[in-house]
Amino acid sequence: MDDSSLQVDPVRGLYFSPCCGTLFQWNAGPECSGGPQLDQPLQTDRPNFTSTSVTVGKGVTQIESGYTYMKSNETGQDVRYQSFGEFLFRQGILADWLEFRVGFSPLQQTAQIGSYQNSTFGTDDLDLALQFALTPQAGILPEMALIVSMSVPTGSPAFTSHQVEPGVDLIYAWQLNDFLSVAASTQGYGNVDDSGSSYLEMAQSCSVGYQLTKSLGAYTEWFALIPSGARTARTEHYFDAGFTYLINNNVQLDMSAGVGLSEAAADFFAGAGLSIRFP
């Protein structure tokens, strides 16, 4: 690596290193570390709320998909949601530290009041994003990534927001030992409440991962959705947990379930999925 390309930032303890697997390197860590490792198991966004802090790698394609059932009580009626597919396409472009992402999902909403039941089927808005692998872990300094996203109003009338909604997601993670890891994320993105009013939705999460065997992993997680400037939306807290199972380094199955911890949150959700990496 050409040392003339490095730009030292004494305040943050970082230097710019675009030839490595991450965009920056910690001054306190080894030179040119981190980034995707294709000889290791794939890193997925599924099944927890906290996204992965690792990009897939230049020229690598990864497809993640699944199903989720959610039950809630909204203004006196029982509402059930089903998401079919939960398709996420991830493609490494230009460098190991940069990834292009596309996500969408078919949805079904069923509302029931007494014996009356009404079901609506459609798709949600298309989500376009770039993920940047920022830093590797160096001791107590975290592995970090940034996702910059934009939802495009392509969904069905019942599920679209009718407007472009930008978002950012900062992920920071630590591998504590061979058994235990911790990851967290801080998000902010546009949203629309039931009154049609636009607002800023903040989200915070913390997830603890457990490597039970070479193939079997588990996690527990807390996350919160915190509206700012909304007329009707209220803060929602959740706890969820799940398992992942590696068929091989490039194929992973998952299952998860969670419960709402606050009055405004959904009562219960559960799901399962499949992720495949194409090196």
Side-chain angles (χ1 to χ4, degrees), residues 37-72:
Q37 301 179 44
L38 298 184
D39 60 338
Q40 298 296 316
L42 75 171
Q43 301 290 316
T44 66
D45 276 10
R46 297 190 57 85
N48 52 342
F49 180 85
T50 308
S51 297
T52 176
S53 56
V54 179
T55 47
V56 296
K58 181 181 178 180
V60 175
T61 300
Q62 189 163 305
I63 296 175
E64 305 178 19
S65 60
Y67 164 84
T68 297
Y69 170 87
M70 178 182 290
K71 181 180 182 298
S72 66

Side-chain angles (χ1 to χ4, degrees), residues 20-190:
C20 294
T22 58
L23 190 55
F24 300 95
Q25 297 282 304
W26 293 109
N27 282 328
E31 185 174 298
C32 212
S33 62
Q37 301 179 44
L38 298 184
D39 60 338
Q40 298 296 316
L42 75 171
Q43 301 290 316
T44 66
D45 276 10
R46 297 190 57 85
N48 52 342
F49 180 85
T50 308
S51 297
T52 176
S53 56
V54 179
T55 47
V56 296
K58 181 181 178 180
V60 175
T61 300
Q62 189 163 305
I63 296 175
E64 305 178 19
S65 60
Y67 164 84
T68 297
Y69 170 87
M70 178 182 290
K71 181 180 182 298
S72 66
N73 185 281
E74 302 175 11
T75 61
Q77 59 182 348
D78 290 326
V79 181
R80 299 184 298 276
Y81 296 92
Q82 297 184 78
S83 58
F84 304 91
E86 299 178 340
F87 178 82
L88 176 62
F89 173 84
R90 304 172 60 189
Q91 177 69 48
I93 58 174
L94 301 179
D96 280 342
W97 48 263
L98 182 59
E99 175 185 307
F100 174 68
R101 302 157 64 100
V102 180
F104 73 94
S105 184
L107 300 172
Q108 183 182 37
Q109 174 184 293
T110 302
Q112 183 168 350
I113 303 178
S115 60
Y116 174 76
Q117 181 173 290
N118 180 58
S119 291
T120 304
F121 185 83
T123 59
D124 64 356
D125 288 338
L126 189 69
D127 186 69
L128 306 176
L130 291 174
Q131 179 166 355
F132 301 85
L134 298 181
T135 66
Q137 182 180 347
I140 63 172
L141 300 174
E143 178 177 75
M144 295 194 299
L146 178 69
I147 300 176
V148 180
S149 64
M150 176 181 67
S151 70
V152 183
T154 58
S156 303
F159 301 113
T160 182
S161 66
H162 301 286
Q163 63 186 32
V164 173
E165 295 175 334
V168 292
D169 182 1
L170 178 64
I171 308 111
Y172 31 102
W174 296 264
Q175 184 70 45
L176 303 182
N177 51 48
D178 291 340
F179 173 71
L180 196 64
S181 62
V182 177
S185 69
T186 302
Q187 304 179 30
Y189 51 91

Side-chain angles (χ1 to χ4, degrees), residues 201-253:
E201 178 119 282
M202 302 297 295
Q204 182 63 49
S205 70
C206 183
S207 178
V208 180
Y210 316 92
Q211 193 63 45
L212 304 178
T213 69
K214 183 178 180 180
S215 298
L216 183 64
Y219 79 93
T220 53
E221 179 182 50
W222 162 85
F223 65 93
L225 309 178
I226 308 165
S228 175
R231 293 181 180 177
T232 60
R234 295 180 294 164
T235 298
E236 304 174 26
H237 291 268
Y238 293 93
F239 173 83
D240 63 312
F243 294 94
T244 59
Y245 182 78
L246 283 169
I247 296 177
N248 56 51
N249 279 354
N250 297 317
V251 181
Q252 177 181 280
L253 302 174

